[in-house]
Amino acid sequence: MPDTTTLEFACAEAWPPLVREPLGQWWLRAAESFTGRANSALAMGDPGLPIARALEVVCEFAHSHAVEPMVQAVHGSAQETALADEGWVPHVHYAAGHDVSVLLGPLPPAPAAAPALSVLDEPTDAWWSLVAGSTEPTRAQRHVLAAPGTGFGVAEADGTTVGAVRLAPARGLLHVGRLEVRPEHRRRGFAGALLGAGGDWARERDLTACVLQVSVRNHAALALYARLGFTEHHRYRYWVPRRGDAHP
């Protein structure tokens, strides 16, 4: 089983920001505020500076790229302790959920009775509409979600795309993200079928297991993944400066 550091960096590589700079072993990331993962400092290991100065650099980088200063740190880690000691707080108001479960599981099997499924090399307008909410994605959305090597899974019913998923290789693992099914087609097996298509895509690329990052508030997704044999490997949280403390 991969360790926490390996999994965190694998997921980070599978979700590339527009800008990434090293800070010791940390990664500074920015992508025009599209997703927390692409717009936070990944605090793994040693930043190479005293923690107070490292957090000043995090703030300076964020402001220079017009994003909110934010740090992603593993639950219970030394980095979380250091953040709290410096007055940073969990970003409990983060809309997508600041507390995230990292799940590891087997490659999902193909469903016995599969709907019309395909994994495309290029995203379609319908895929973008489901995963990004628009057929005209922003520059950041295109960069993060449509990086080279990505697979774009779609499920169709009656000639309409009703489900979509993003698939990416991640250091020998399959990274699954943006699994979406239209509300009127939910609870009809499309989500599991899309994951099964992703499993087949992964096996063709010699990927060995699957990793997912899911908000702990997303109970429906967590239940689906539990049925497919996924278990929690670890959690991470987003941290921000206490109000008024972010450095300009």
Side-chain angles (χ1 to χ4, degrees), residues 197-224:
D200 286 348
W201 184 87
R203 281 183 280 271
E204 292 172 359
R205 287 155 180 79
D206 296 322
L207 307 179
T208 58
C210 185
V211 62
L212 303 154
Q213 296 159 292
V214 184
S215 167
V216 299
R217 302 187 319 205
N218 192 342
H219 303 296
L222 291 170
L224 169 65

Side-chain angles (χ1 to χ4, degrees), residues 123-132 145 151-154 161 164-166:
T124 62
D125 285 350
W127 188 92
W128 280 118
S129 180
L130 274 169
V131 305
L145 297 178
F152 308 93
V154 296
T161 298
V165 68
R166 180 186 185 271

Side-chain angles (χ1 to χ4, degrees), residues 29 33 39-40 58 62-63 65-71 91 94 240-241:
R29 301 174 294 184
S33 298
N39 290 276
S40 57
V58 168
H63 288 300
H65 293 285
V67 300
E68 178 183 22
M70 188 161 64
V71 170
H91 193 359
Y94 183 62
V240 291

Side-chain angles (χ1 to χ4, degrees), residues 87-165:
W88 286 49
V89 295
H91 193 359
V92 296
H93 300 297
Y94 183 62
H98 82 290
D99 199 353
V100 179
S101 179
V102 180
L103 306 178
L104 196 63
L107 296 178
L117 299 169
S118 55
V119 179
L120 309 174
D121 293 331
E122 298 289 339
T124 62
D125 285 350
W127 188 92
W128 280 118
S129 180
L130 274 169
V131 305
S134 172
T135 58
E136 297 182 1
T138 67
R139 179 180 73 136
Q141 289 171 330
R142 285 192 180 277
H143 184 90
V144 175
L145 297 178
T150 300
F152 308 93
V154 296
E156 296 188 347
D158 300 324
T160 300
T161 298
V162 299
V165 68

